[in-house]
Amino acid sequence: MAGNSFGDIFRITTFGESHGEAIGVIIDGCPPNIAIDEAFIQSELDKRRPGQSKITTQRKESDTAKILSGVFEGKSTGTPLALVIPNEDQRSKDYSHIADKYRPSHADYTYQMKYGIRDYRGGGRSSARETAARVAAGAVAKSFLAQSGIRIFAHVSGVGKIEAPNLPTHDIDELAALRESNMVRCADPATANEMISFIEAIRKAGDTVGGRISATIQHVPVGLGEPVFDKLHADLAKAMMSINAVHGFEYGSGFAGSEMQGSEHNDVFINPDGDEKKLKTLTNFSGGIQGGISNGMDITFRVAFKPVATLMRPQQTVNEAGEATEITGKGRHDPCVVPRAVIIVEAMAALVIADHLLKNQLYDQTR
């Protein structure tokens, strides 16, 4: 199975399955002398951890990461950094009833056809359990980016048809505190309460619902990204679309921009500081990226997640013999993934920006 690595210079490779002994990640290309705070890594993992509220899966995992290599006296050494996260609460029996059945909208059928074998226990490698490894790697990437003052903030901006108002992002610390004050991780408290009530009703009905996450990356220098295939927004799109259940990505004005006229959409340049190398724009419909290259403004994007495919109600399907049958979800599943996916979105964004920042440093050295 290919495709287990992400990034070019700051490169990660994840391993493990949902019901195996552990999952983990190897980070290659992390510069030396980066402060590696295990408590910070754990705090990031705790935001993705299952069983944290009544509107998430009740699987009980501490998601305690153990660093195996690449760190000495609290700092990265520049050698491969390996982290492992044990699986502690597997209940494989919850999946025995689907051993020969294809769950609707899951990877069961496609995996079986491609590889001739599949791990039906939670989906094996296709399980969102794998994203814990990404969050651990993202925490290391955030520590690297912090040296350059780059910060990332994401929150749940939509659940079903409920949409939060646009929020000013000048104070990320304040927004992060508001986000963490509620279980749905929406930085607008009034909207958060509405979302929580809606998700609870969906869960009680044995159904699921999708949602949206909005993100902002601040203090990104001008010049990250390349103008053809390695556009910064293209790499962000690939990163986000690699997350389980993601069905859409847009940056800046996104799809709404297609309804505008050029005279409305163009971001007019200004020079508020009198420095021709630190220009700003009056608007930010470009989402901080122009021609595939960061322009110094905030990078903004949204990610759309589909409803969780496992329903706690009967569904029609077929088995491996192609015979019609019925299937009902068992075990512990999220009625809506976005509350736990916020930190995954941040982690993948951090990995992309860290990779491009290192690419730019190499480019600067050759000029």
Side-chain angles (χ1 to χ4, degrees):
M1 179 187 291
N4 297 296
S5 300
F6 182 81
D8 294 320
I9 299 178
F10 196 104
R11 185 174 179 82
I12 70 166
T13 300
T14 69
F15 61 88
E17 296 83 33
S18 175
H19 285 236
E21 289 191 16
I23 56 174
V25 61
I26 297 172
I27 306 169
D28 205 3
C30 179
N33 292 307
I34 303 301
I36 305 298
D37 185 345
E38 293 188 53
F40 173 65
I41 294 173
Q42 194 58 53
S43 70
E44 295 286 277
L45 285 166
D46 287 346
K47 295 182 179 70
R48 197 221 69 97
R49 179 176 53 82
Q52 59 186 273
S53 77
K54 60 184 178 181
I55 61 170
T56 64
T57 171
Q58 293 306 296
R59 178 170 175 168
K60 300 297 182 183
E61 297 282 355
S62 66
D63 278 356
T64 302
K66 181 179 181 181
I67 298 176
L68 302 180
S69 66
V71 178
F72 180 67
E73 295 183 343
K75 291 187 176 180
S76 60
T77 62
T79 59
L81 203 159
L83 300 97
V84 65
I85 304 168
N87 289 327
E88 301 168 337
D89 188 26
Q90 312 98 310
R91 295 185 187 175
S92 300
K93 66 179 185 300
D94 287 345
Y95 297 91
S96 58
H97 69 295
I98 59 146
D100 67 339
K101 297 178 181 179
Y102 295 135
R103 294 170 295 173
S105 290
H106 276 278
D108 299 342
Y109 173 71
T110 52
Y111 266 54
Q112 187 69 38
M113 293 300 102
K114 182 175 178 66
Y115 301 110
I117 187 173
R118 64 184 173 95
D119 186 347
Y120 62 83
R121 304 166 305 165
R125 186 76 177 136
S126 70
S127 170
R129 178 89 185 117
E130 178 268 345
T131 58
R134 306 187 193 198
V135 171
V140 175
K142 285 182 178 180
S143 297
F144 167 60
L145 296 178
Q147 292 188 337
S148 301
I150 298 172
R151 303 192 64 186
I152 302 170
F153 169 77
H155 84 121
V156 175
S157 57
V159 170
K161 295 182 179 180
I162 302 170
E163 194 74 25
N166 290 328
L167 301 174
T169 56
H170 56 275
D171 191 336
I172 283 183
D173 290 330
E174 180 181 347
L175 287 176
L178 286 170
R179 179 191 72 187
E180 294 303 314
S181 69
N182 62 80
M183 67 181 74
V184 78
R185 290 203 167 87
C186 173
D188 183 69
T191 310
N193 290 333
E194 187 179 357
M195 290 174 174
I196 291 168
S197 296
F198 181 59
I199 294 173
E200 286 181 329
I202 288 290
R203 178 181 60 81
K204 290 177 181 177
D207 213 336
T208 63
V209 67
R212 294 160 298 286
I213 291 174
S214 295
T216 301
I217 313 174
Q218 291 188 333
H219 310 306
V220 177
V222 179
L224 299 194
E226 303 294 339
V228 187
F229 295 115
D230 293 334
K231 291 179 170 69
L232 185 56
H233 60 270
D235 283 351
L236 283 169
K238 178 179 179 179
M240 300 307 146
M241 294 297 289
S242 75
I243 300 172
N244 306 63
V246 170
H247 268 219
F249 171 86
E250 61 179 9
Y251 75 102
S253 62
F255 284 95
S258 66
E259 301 174 359
M260 301 171 67
Q261 298 177 18
S263 55
E264 301 173 285
H265 193 270
N266 284 350
D267 294 320
V268 175
F269 285 106
I270 56 174
N271 188 1
D273 302 320
D275 186 343
E276 72 277 8
K277 293 185 179 180
K278 294 183 179 180
L279 301 181
K280 304 293 183 183
T281 58
L282 285 175
T283 53
N284 192 22
F285 294 119
S286 298
I289 304 171
Q290 293 172 325
I293 301 171
S294 60
N295 66 4
M297 297 291 288
D298 287 355
I299 293 176
T300 60
F301 61 89
R302 287 207 312 168
V303 187
F305 288 76
K306 73 179 181 69
V308 175
T310 299
L311 307 184
M312 298 303 170
R313 57 165 68 173
Q315 295 184 86
Q316 296 302 308
T317 188
V318 299
N319 59 23
E320 292 180 356
E323 302 164 334
T325 186
E326 188 176 82
I327 188 171
T328 301
K330 293 182 180 180
R332 304 150 297 172
H333 303 276
D334 293 273
C336 181
V337 298
V338 288
R340 294 172 59 215
V342 164
I343 199 65
I344 306 170
V345 167
E346 287 190 358
M348 293 307 296
L351 292 170
V352 171
I353 301 301
D355 197 35
H356 275 276
L357 196 64
L358 288 171
K359 287 179 183 179
N360 248 36
Q361 290 177 4
L362 287 177
Y363 175 72
D364 290 340
Q365 291 171 11
T366 61
R367 284 197 294 179

